[in-house]
Amino acid sequence: MEFREITERYRLEKILKSSKSGTVLRAADGESGRTVVVKLIPVGSAPNLEGRMGAFNRLAAAIGALGHPALPVVLDSGITPDGSAFLVMEHLDGRGLDTLAGVAPSRALPLLMQAVSGLEALAGQRVPYLNLSPDNVLVIPGPAGDPVGEQAKLLGLGTVLFQPVGGPGDEGRRFRAPELLSPQPGERADARADLYSLGVASCHVLGATIAPAAANGADPGVQMPLALSFELENAEALRQMLERCLRRRPAERPAHQAVRYAFQLALEGAESPLWQPAVPAPAEILQAPRPVEAPPPPVPVSAPVAAAPLPRP
């Protein structure tokens, strides 16, 4: 394992954010001269570093290879001599998605769809994000500050690899999936946990209410504000999809494509079998994401339904 002193290349200029989970600083790259952001993540014990560094390197490599618009550009990464993992990323100016809570759905839903696209890209690389919350989604303004052309960027990358999830220092606890807060023996969270967090974050931004889960283990429900329903072309499509994201069992959560489709239907309106339980949607839309870092399970193929014989004349 190679340790690097980041100050040999980067001139640290200003602390942008500091918490128990890490420190984000503005810095100048001594080689390129560009302004960058350096994120330092405490890793704790040496065994924790050794056990997690491989996943951290895979995360940095995946983000760098993707070049996805919803993910920041990762320029450098490594481990410092004092035991902190670091990511060097492009410098971005914007505001957190949490500050836009209550805005019109015509503005909020496109940003949420962009976040879904970024999560899907990470899932395709078998790298879960596991840190989605409204304050970890940065909204970059469009040209001249116009809301048209805004771009969502997923921040908070790498933190949960080294920090305990669901503990007192977990700033995003309320957005965590059940399998992250109370993991079962042998259970490993994957990209489907991000879909649960997306459901909670979407409800927060849109002003929807999440009804507490029933004592019998039923999944939580979602109640849409009346004013929000009037602003949508298909509020029921959105409500049902948010409830599916909030399913307790990861295998019952939707795929990223289905979530994007539902958000688009909510904005534009269209006829779709997605919201009619008696008519299943196409398998390529509803199938769950593949588990992270595990061979994908075989997809069962439904037996063809025999056509009913025509009545004799």
Side-chain angles (χ1 to χ4, degrees):
M1 185 181 302
E2 181 182 356
F3 296 91
R4 292 173 53 197
E5 181 56 67
I6 58 174
T7 54
E8 292 180 357
R9 174 172 175 178
Y10 304 102
R11 185 176 71 253
L12 307 181
E13 298 177 341
K14 181 181 179 180
I15 295 177
L16 302 177
K17 181 180 179 181
S18 182
S19 66
K20 293 181 179 179
S21 60
T23 302
V24 179
L25 306 102
R26 187 182 68 199
D29 185 345
E31 293 186 5
S32 66
R34 69 184 295 181
T35 299
V36 297
V37 168
V38 176
K39 179 177 182 179
L40 297 172
I41 308 170
V43 300
S45 64
N48 192 40
L49 172 61
E50 294 177 2
R52 299 288 185 170
M53 202 58 200
F56 179 76
N57 290 334
R58 288 193 296 274
L59 173 67
I63 298 171
L66 285 169
H68 194 278
L71 298 170
V73 176
V74 173
L75 305 167
D76 197 1
S77 64
I79 187 77
T80 66
D82 64 353
S84 292
F86 71 86
L87 286 172
V88 179
M89 297 170 284
E90 62 176 330
H91 183 270
L92 299 169
D93 287 317
R95 59 192 300 189
L97 185 62
D98 56 319
T99 66
L100 300 181
V103 300
S106 59
R107 184 179 180 188
L109 284 174
L111 292 170
L112 291 168
M113 283 191 279
Q114 292 173 8
V116 174
S117 181
L119 294 175
E120 183 179 19
L122 288 174
Q125 297 291 314
R126 300 182 179 274
V127 176
Y129 176 39
L130 307 182
N131 199 19
L132 181 64
S133 63
D135 63 338
N136 272 340
V137 180
L138 187 70
V139 179
I140 310 300
D146 194 330
V148 177
E150 287 179 320
Q151 176 63 54
K153 294 275 187 178
L154 301 178
L155 304 183
L157 298 161
T159 303
V160 297
L161 291 175
F162 302 102
Q163 304 295 324
V165 175
D170 186 357
E171 300 167 353
R173 177 183 173 86
R174 61 171 290 205
F175 298 98
R176 305 290 187 228
E179 63 267 28
L180 284 172
L181 296 177
S182 301
Q184 301 301 312
E187 184 179 52
R188 188 170 189 173
D190 58 28
R192 292 171 291 190
D194 292 329
L195 291 168
Y196 183 97
S197 299
L198 175 79
V200 182
S202 298
C203 289
H204 173 82
V205 173
L206 295 169
T209 302
I210 301 176
N216 62 2
D219 295 307
V222 172
Q223 182 176 357
M224 308 290 287
L226 187 60
L228 176 63
S229 299
F230 286 151
E231 294 184 70
L232 296 171
E233 293 293 330
N234 195 334
E236 184 61 12
L238 177 61
R239 188 193 67 79
Q240 289 195 30
M241 185 54 69
L242 291 175
E243 287 189 344
R244 291 183 59 204
C245 288
L246 298 176
R247 297 277 175 86
R248 291 173 177 268
R249 291 169 287 279
E252 296 180 3
R253 295 173 197 150
H256 300 86
Q257 305 99 307
V259 177
R260 276 203 316 274
Y261 184 42
F263 286 6
Q264 185 173 354
L265 285 177
L267 281 176
E268 301 175 2
E271 294 296 329
S272 170
L274 278 174
W275 331 121
Q276 302 172 24
V279 183
E284 65 271 14
I285 292 182
L286 293 184
Q287 66 182 359
R290 293 177 177 179
V292 176
E293 297 182 353
V299 178
V301 179
S302 302
V305 179
L310 297 175
R312 296 177 178 273

